[in-house]
Amino acid sequence: MKRLSHEPTIAVCPGSFDPVTYGHLDIIHRASEIFDKVIVAVLNNASKSPLFTIQQRMELLVRVTGDIPNVEVDGFEDLLVNYIRKKNAHVIVKGLRAVSDFEYEMQMASVNRKLSDKIETFFMMSSTQYSYLSSSVVKQVAMFGGSVEDLVPEIVEKALQEKFAERLKK
């Protein structure tokens, strides 16, 4: 994949981000130091039942990435390769925590490469302090009233508390 030197490299960091964690932010920050532009693309995964709406997830991401000038937050419901083409991007950035992540992400990267040979997937290993962290773990801890202050930014922690308080009222 040849690039003209004046053409910016646009990377897409896709995920459900339900909710965004410090692990996600670690990957986003590090990707922003490598690529000219990083689009954090929030997907609406039909196989999951999200806690937050896609709009709420995007709003949280905008607030916690606002200090990174080359990061944009967007949402999509299309095939990832179609979305990437629309955004004139050529790179997918995926964070990996463990071997089990790699197996799944390798399969997805292979499918994406089959669908478009102009798209490359870059895998970034999670920083050690976030290797255990997942949105599912965060939601479970928050649901039972545990502290998630070291797992997510304060604004996300408050959003989780509000969401679970709403559920208790129902």
Side-chain angles (χ1 to χ4, degrees), residues 139-159:
K139 286 186 283 195
Q140 190 164 20
V141 170
M143 180 172 52
F144 292 106
S147 173
V148 294
E149 92 178 275
D150 292 336
L151 310 178
V152 298
E154 185 178 349
I155 187 160
V156 176
E157 180 181 18
K158 287 180 181 174

Side-chain angles (χ1 to χ4, degrees), residues 57-77:
R57 289 179 271 155
M58 288 173 59
E59 287 170 10
L60 288 170
L61 275 159
V62 165
R63 294 183 72 183
V64 298
T65 62
D67 64 329
I68 315 170
N70 62 331
V71 169
E72 170 188 316
V73 176
D74 195 15
F76 76 103
E77 295 186 35

Side-chain angles (χ1 to χ4, degrees), residues 77-166:
E77 295 186 35
D78 198 355
L79 272 177
L80 180 57
V81 293
N82 293 340
Y83 176 80
I84 287 173
R85 284 185 194 118
K86 288 176 194 169
K87 292 297 185 174
N88 198 30
H90 299 281
V91 176
I92 300 168
V93 174
K94 297 296 292 187
L96 299 177
R97 294 170 297 200
V99 172
S100 57
D101 285 348
F102 178 76
E103 291 173 10
Y104 173 77
E105 294 299 347
M106 180 65 176
Q107 180 182 26
M108 297 310 306
S110 297
V111 169
N112 289 331
R113 186 79 173 150
K114 177 76 174 155
L115 295 171
S116 176
D117 63 358
K118 295 187 179 359
I119 297 172
E120 294 289 345
T121 300
F122 282 72
F123 296 118
M124 297 182 83
M125 294 305 301
S126 292
S127 294
T128 307
Q129 72 261 37
Y130 305 121
S131 62
Y132 65 91
L133 188 53
S134 71
S135 294
S136 299
V137 166
V138 167
K139 286 186 283 195
Q140 190 164 20
V141 170
M143 180 172 52
F144 292 106
S147 173
V148 294
E149 92 178 275
D150 292 336
L151 310 178
V152 298
E154 185 178 349
I155 187 160
V156 176
E157 180 181 18
K158 287 180 181 174
L160 283 162
Q161 290 168 347
E162 289 171 12
K163 188 63 79 169
F164 288 119
E166 284 175 26

